[in-house]
Amino acid sequence: MFTLSEENYLKAIYHLELDSDKGISTNAIAEQLETKASSVSDMIKKLSDKKVVVYKKYKGVKLTDLGKKTAANIVRKHRLWEVFLVEKLNFSWDEVHDVAEQLEHIKSPKLINQLDALLGFPTHDPHGDPIPDKNGNLKTIDKSLLSTLSKNESGVCIGVDDSSSEFLRFLDKKGITLGNKITVLEKEDFDDSLSILIEGKQLSISNKIANNLYIKKI
Amino acid sequence: MFTLSEENYLKAIYHLELDSDKGISTNAIAEQLETKASSVSDMIKKLSDKKVVVYKKYKGVKLTDLGKKTAANIVRKHRLWEVFLVEKLNFSWDEVHDVAEQLEHIKSPKLINQLDALLGFPTHDPHGDPIPDKNGNLKTIDKSLLSTLSKNESGVCIGVDDSSSEFLRFLDKKGITLGNKITVLEKEDFDDSLSILIEGKQLSISNKIANNLYIKKI
DNA sequence: TCTAATTTTTAGACTTGTCTAAAAATTTAT
DNA sequence: ATAAATTTTTAGACAAGTCTAAAAATTAGA
Ligand SMILES: [Mn+2]
Ligand SMILES: [Mn+2]
Ligand SMILES: [Mn+2]
Ligand SMILES: [Mn+2]
C-alpha cells in the first residue's frame, strides 16, 4: 500500500498537524524529516495522487481522513512496539525509539492486534504518549508542563515533551519516573528553577527540565 | 551495513549452499529469489565488493566466512521471530513465514538477544528447522523422510521439507503435529502410499506427503 | 505598491535495484 | 573439434527517492 518513505512522510505530517491547525508547510516537513524541501515537494505529489493529503498550493498540506487513519496506525504500531520492548524485552525507555522506528513499518494486522493483547491493551507508551486505537483515534489527555505549577501545587509525572535519550537518561539519573508525585516546594524568580519534593526526596530542577516534563495536576 | 535486498540475496545463497558444496550459479539464485539472472549478476558484484561472497567467473559464488555469518544471523532472526509469533502471539505455523520475512531485517542486536531469552533459547522454529546460534553455527540434526521408513518402523515427526501454508494446513487437517510418534503399519508397493499409526489413530498417507515429512527414527 | 526576503517548485543529476534484449562465454552433443 | 544449447554478462532503460542549483511564486517591508 504505502512505501516506507511514504509512511515516514505521513507520520511527520501527522505529528506536525497535532501542533497546528493550518496547512503543513513544505519546509516544516523537510525540517522534521531532516531532508530537503525539493524532496518534500516531490513526495507531496505522490501522497496527493494517493489521496492521503490535500494540497493547496503555497498553503501547505493537510491529511485526508484516509491519511490521518494511515498515519495514526503507524504511530499506534510505533508506540505498541515501544511498550513491548520495555515490558517484555527489558529495554529502558531511552533505548526503544530507534528500534520502534523500524518495527512500525512491519505490515501485519494480526501481528499488531495480538501484540496489543499480549501487552494488555496499553493506553500509553513508555514516554507517556497515548496509543491511538484501532480506528486511529487518539485520546488527548489533560497534561501541563511542570513549569506551570505554582509553589505548593502538586502533580503526577505523566510524560515527557523531549524524549531524547539524553533527557530520558538524565531523568533516570535524577530518579524521576512516570507515575511519581511531585510537589513544588519553591520557585526561584531569578532563573525559574524549582525545588521539588519527589518520592519523599527534595530535588533542584532547572527550568529547562521543568519545561520538558508533563504532569497531571492534583 | 547491508541493504534489505543484499540481505535477501545472502540468505538465498546461504540456503542454496546447504544443499550443494559447489559454487551457487547465477540462475539458481535467480530462481530462488524469483528474479532475473541479470539482476543477480549485478548484485553479485556488489556482494563481492563487500567481501561477503567470492566469485569465480562462470563457476558461481560462495559465501565467505563473513557472508556465512551474516546470512546465518538473518536466518536466526527469521526463525526466532517465527517462534515468537507462534508461542507468544497465537499465530499458527502456516501464518508466520511472511511476517518473519519482514521482521528478519530489523537491526538491533539487543532486540534479538532479548527475544531469544524471552522465548527460552529455542533450538528449533515451528517447522522443525534449527535456529543458528549467535555465532552463526547451525546444528544439523539427524532426520529422515517418512517415506524412507519400512513397514513396522517408527519415528517421531520432527519437521517438514515443504513448509508452504497449503502443506502445513493439510497436516493440521490430518492431525499431524511435530512431536507425534508415527509407526508404519503398511506400505503399498503400487503407489508407495503408507498406512501409519499416529497418536493412536490409523491414517492413510500418500507418497507425496511422506516425502515432505521429516522424522527421527526410533 | 514596489522591492526584498522567503518559500516553494522545477530541472537535471545521481544511486539502488530492477528489467528486457542482445552479446559473449561456457558447456554439451555430435 | 565444431556446432548447438545453455548460462552468464553487458548495455540500456526505467522507477523510486534523493540531492543541488536555479527559477518562480508568495509574502513581508518600506
Ligand atoms: Mn518513539
Ligand atoms: Mn519511521
Ligand atoms: Mn520461514
Ligand atoms: Mn527477507
Side-chain angles (χ1 to χ4, degrees):
Chain A
M1 198 66 193
F2 295 98
T3 66
L4 188 140
S5 202
E6 287 167 346
E7 290 194 346
N8 283 335
Y9 275 90
L10 283 175
K11 197 171 59 129
I13 298 167
Y14 178 84
H15 282 131
L16 289 165
E17 277 194 353
L18 291 179
D19 302 323
S20 153
D21 43 358
K22 284 181 290 185
I24 306 304
S25 74
T26 303
N27 268 357
I29 299 168
E31 193 186 2
Q32 175 91 0
L33 289 174
E34 296 180 275
T35 184
K36 304 293 161 171
S38 55
S39 303
V40 175
S41 215
D42 287 343
M43 182 58 86
I44 284 173
K45 284 169 206 143
K46 292 170 197 162
L47 295 177
S48 199
D49 287 347
K50 290 197 172 184
K51 313 288 183 196
V52 282
V53 301
V54 285
Y55 178 58
K56 294 217 180 108
K57 60 174 178 174
Y58 285 90
K59 292 294 175 187
V61 293
K62 283 192 178 182
L63 293 173
T64 62
D65 284 349
L66 174 61
K68 272 187 202 118
K69 200 178 162 185
T70 306
N73 193 244
I74 301 163
V75 172
R76 172 173 163 79
K77 290 194 281 180
H78 182 103
R79 293 182 178 164
L80 282 172
W81 279 116
E82 286 190 342
V83 173
F84 171 73
L85 293 172
V86 167
E87 296 295 321
K88 301 293 179 182
L89 298 191
N90 293 108
F91 276 60
S92 57
W93 67 344
D94 62 292
E95 295 176 312
V96 298
H97 186 75
D98 291 349
V99 187
E101 282 292 304
Q102 299 177 62
L103 287 163
E104 73 189 6
H105 302 289
I106 302 294
K107 280 151 188 81
S108 167
K110 178 164 185 169
L111 171 58
I112 209 66
N113 286 336
Q114 293 293 108
L115 188 65
D116 194 22
L118 176 73
L119 300 172
F121 309 101
T123 56
H124 295 80
D125 81 3
H127 314 106
D129 294 314
I131 298 172
D133 68 22
K134 287 182 194 180
N135 304 312
N137 298 118
L138 198 71
K139 77 169 60 141
T140 46
I141 33 176
D142 166 45
K143 60 186 181 181
S144 325
L145 287 173
L146 173 54
S147 53
T148 64
L149 252 64
S150 311
K151 182 172 176 179
N152 294 325
E153 283 191 313
S154 295
V156 176
C157 187
I158 55 163
V160 293
D161 188 45
D162 169 9
S163 61
S164 68
S165 294
E166 295 70 33
F167 181 56
L168 298 175
R169 281 199 297 266
F170 176 84
L171 293 179
D172 284 342
K173 200 164 73 181
K174 290 283 180 182
I176 301 171
T177 305
L178 298 197
N180 286 171
K181 185 186 167 188
I182 293 176
T183 302
V184 176
L185 300 176
E186 203 65 60
K187 197 164 184 176
E188 294 295 336
D189 281 340
F190 178 64
D191 63 355
D192 290 314
S193 68
L194 299 178
S195 170
I196 63 172
L197 184 72
I198 178 167
E199 299 292 297
K201 284 173 299 187
Q202 186 276 330
L203 264 183
S204 284
I205 290 290
S206 75
N207 179 253
K208 182 168 180 184
I209 305 306
N211 259 324
N212 278 308
L213 253 188
Y214 287 118
I215 52 96
K216 186 180 167 186
K217 289 186 184 174
I218 48 178
Chain B
M1 198 67 191
F2 296 98
T3 66
L4 188 141
S5 202
E6 287 168 347
E7 289 193 345
N8 283 335
Y9 274 91
L10 283 175
K11 197 171 61 131
I13 298 167
Y14 178 85
H15 286 311
L16 290 165
E17 277 193 354
L18 292 179
D19 302 323
S20 155
D21 43 358
K22 285 181 290 187
I24 306 303
S25 73
T26 302
N27 266 357
I29 298 168
E31 193 184 2
Q32 176 90 3
L33 290 174
E34 296 179 274
T35 184
K36 305 292 160 170
S38 55
S39 303
V40 175
S41 216
D42 289 342
M43 182 57 86
I44 284 172
K45 283 167 207 145
K46 292 171 196 163
L47 294 176
S48 200
D49 288 347
K50 290 197 171 184
K51 312 287 184 199
V52 282
V53 303
V54 284
Y55 178 57
K56 294 217 178 107
K57 59 174 179 174
Y58 285 89
K59 292 293 174 187
V61 294
K62 282 191 179 183
L63 292 173
T64 62
D65 284 350
L66 174 61
K68 272 188 201 116
K69 201 179 162 185
T70 305
N73 192 243
I74 301 162
V75 172
R76 172 173 163 78
K77 290 193 280 181
H78 182 104
R79 292 181 179 165
L80 281 172
W81 279 116
E82 287 191 341
V83 174
F84 171 73
L85 293 173
V86 167
E87 297 294 321
K88 301 293 180 183
L89 299 191
N90 293 109
F91 276 61
S92 57
W93 67 343
D94 63 291
E95 296 175 311
V96 297
H97 185 75
D98 292 348
V99 186
E101 282 291 306
Q102 299 176 61
L103 287 163
E104 73 190 5
H105 302 290
I106 301 293
K107 279 150 188 84
S108 168
K110 177 163 185 170
L111 171 59
I112 210 67
N113 287 337
Q114 293 292 106
L115 188 66
D116 195 21
L118 176 73
L119 300 172
F121 307 102
T123 58
H124 295 80
D125 81 4
H127 315 107
D129 294 314
I131 297 172
D133 67 22
K134 286 182 194 183
N135 304 311
N137 298 118
L138 199 70
K139 78 170 59 143
T140 45
I141 34 177
D142 167 45
K143 60 185 181 180
S144 324
L145 287 174
L146 173 55
S147 55
T148 65
L149 253 63
S150 310
K151 183 174 173 176
N152 295 324
E153 284 190 313
S154 295
V156 175
C157 188
I158 56 162
V160 294
D161 189 45
D162 169 10
S163 61
S164 68
S165 292
E166 294 71 33
F167 181 56
L168 298 175
R169 281 199 296 265
F170 177 85
L171 294 179
D172 283 342
K173 198 164 74 180
K174 290 284 181 183
I176 300 169
T177 304
L178 298 197
N180 286 170
K181 184 185 168 187
I182 293 176
T183 303
V184 175
L185 299 175
E186 203 64 61
K187 197 165 184 174
E188 295 295 336
D189 280 340
F190 176 65
D191 61 356
D192 291 315
S193 68
L194 300 178
S195 170
I196 63 172
L197 185 72
I198 178 166
E199 298 292 297
K201 282 173 300 184
Q202 185 275 330
L203 262 185
S204 285
I205 290 289
S206 74
N207 179 253
K208 182 168 180 185
I209 305 306
N211 260 324
N212 278 307
L213 252 188
Y214 287 119
I215 53 97
K216 185 178 168 190
K217 288 186 185 177
I218 49 177

